[in-house]
Amino acid sequence: MSQISLQMYTLRDYTKTSYDLEKTLEKLRGAGFSTVQYSVPGEADVSDICRIFRKTGIQNDSVFCPALSIKERKKDVLSQCDAFETDYIRTDSIPRGLTSNAAGYEMFAHYLNEVGNEFKKQCKKLLYHFHTFEFIRFGEETGIDILLRESDPELVQILPDTHWIQCGGEPVVKFLKKYRDRYDYVHVK
């Protein structure tokens, strides 16, 4: 797999139809990309999307599922992983209702461990994507520190984003070095 992949959220206005997706992927292929990070829209036909990816010679490096629906959508998520030939499942951030105290981060970390364990049994990796609000301080730790302390590195990886780390008030390089064993991907902005 390529070392540089384009996060397709930035091109969401150019991928609203199958035709637009195909044309956009063709342009990306022409620009030298071989992999992207694309989230299949809920109403889309996965087999149609996969056909477009194969036709354009682009690989989708991971699939996406919202954290709170990942248990009930497990079968669909694994099916998408098989269709795109990827072992990575991205999920979104902690629900805002859990961010007001350390206990919320601890509880959510245990939930991610549960989900991550189910995917590990299928040889898949769960990637947690965070934003600025995970850098709220609770004494000496931030919410993301608590979440990472409480989650099992074998079950939960992070998908660090340099923009959100910086906006959260953390030095980007220091954060990436501190958690270098917890990620395979980095969003660079």
Side-chain angles (χ1 to χ4, degrees):
M1 189 176 300
S2 172
Q3 296 297 315
I4 297 177
S5 186
L6 181 74
Q7 211 283 337
M8 292 292 287
Y9 182 77
T10 58
L11 298 175
R12 64 193 174 280
D13 291 337
Y14 303 99
T15 61
K16 291 181 178 178
T17 68
S18 292
Y19 176 81
D20 291 341
L21 175 63
E22 185 172 333
K23 294 303 168 198
T24 299
L25 291 177
E26 286 173 354
K27 287 178 183 178
L28 291 172
R29 187 68 180 159
F33 286 95
S34 60
T35 60
V36 298
Q37 198 170 77
Y38 178 74
S39 300
V40 176
E43 71 286 350
D45 179 345
V46 175
S47 60
D48 183 46
I49 302 285
C50 286
R51 181 193 56 75
I52 293 168
F53 271 81
R54 282 190 300 278
K55 182 178 178 183
T56 59
I58 299 270
Q59 182 175 354
N60 189 20
D61 67 18
S62 56
V63 300
F64 173 78
C65 186
L68 295 182
S69 63
I70 206 163
K71 282 185 176 182
E72 55 269 12
R73 290 191 50 207
K74 178 182 166 189
K75 185 177 177 182
D76 176 52
V77 169
L78 290 171
S79 175
Q80 282 191 37
C81 284
D82 290 343
F84 285 109
E85 299 177 357
T86 183
D87 294 332
Y88 292 93
I89 301 152
R90 292 174 283 116
T91 196
D92 54 357
S93 296
I94 183 173
R96 293 290 181 111
L98 297 177
T99 62
S100 62
N101 58 55
Y105 283 93
E106 291 171 357
M107 184 173 73
F108 195 67
H110 295 284
Y111 169 77
L112 291 176
N113 282 338
E114 226 179 279
V115 172
N117 188 47
E118 288 302 309
F119 287 124
K120 184 179 179 187
K121 292 175 187 174
Q122 304 296 320
C123 299
K124 307 296 181 215
K125 293 182 180 183
L126 182 65
L127 308 176
Y128 173 78
H129 185 265
F130 56 84
H131 295 86
T132 303
F133 58 86
E134 281 96 340
F135 290 93
I136 294 170
R137 290 211 160 272
F138 302 98
E140 294 297 313
E141 291 183 301
T142 63
I144 194 68
D145 290 329
I146 295 166
L147 193 137
L148 291 172
R149 175 175 39 82
E150 293 295 319
S151 62
D152 184 336
E154 295 294 317
L155 306 176
V156 180
Q157 286 192 351
I158 55 173
L159 182 53
D161 184 306
T162 59
H163 171 76
W164 296 123
I165 296 167
Q166 182 72 32
C167 288
E170 294 287 323
V172 174
V173 173
K174 181 180 176 184
F175 181 90
L176 293 175
K177 284 182 178 180
K178 180 177 180 180
Y179 292 115
R180 68 180 155 264
D181 297 333
R182 295 295 298 259
Y183 59 88
D184 290 343
Y185 292 94
V186 177
H187 281 179
V188 179
K189 296 178 185 166

